[in-house]
Amino acid sequence: MTTAVMWLNERDLDIRCVRLQPYKLGDELLLDIEQIIPLPEAEEYQVRIRE
C-alpha cells in the first residue's frame, strides 16, 4: 500500500491514508485522526526531491 501511494503521489496525485480511531470519553465520542501514509517526514522529503 505504501509503495502504491508514494508512486501515485510522484505522479502528481495527492493521495493520503489516514487512520481513524474512535474513543469514548463519558458520554462523548472522540475521533483520533492520524495520517499514516505518507508519513509527514516522507512528504517533506518528496517535495524536496521534486524541486
Side-chain angles (χ1 to χ4, degrees), residues 1-2 4-6 9 14-20 33-39:
M1 173 82 66
T2 302
V5 169
M6 293 184 77
N9 283 338
D14 186 11
I15 300 192
R16 300 166 195 272
C17 296
V18 295
R19 179 182 335 184
L20 305 173
I33 303 170
E34 179 182 4
Q35 180 176 320
I36 57 173
I37 301 175
L39 294 172

Side-chain angles (χ1 to χ4, degrees), residues 8-39:
L8 289 167
N9 283 338
E10 288 174 1
R11 281 141 186 83
D12 295 326
L13 294 171
D14 186 11
I15 300 192
R16 300 166 195 272
C17 296
V18 295
R19 179 182 335 184
L20 305 173
Q21 188 164 5
Y23 292 95
K24 189 159 178 129
L25 181 63
D27 291 336
E28 293 187 75
L29 185 60
L30 306 173
L31 189 59
D32 180 28
I33 303 170
E34 179 182 4
Q35 180 176 320
I36 57 173
I37 301 175
L39 294 172

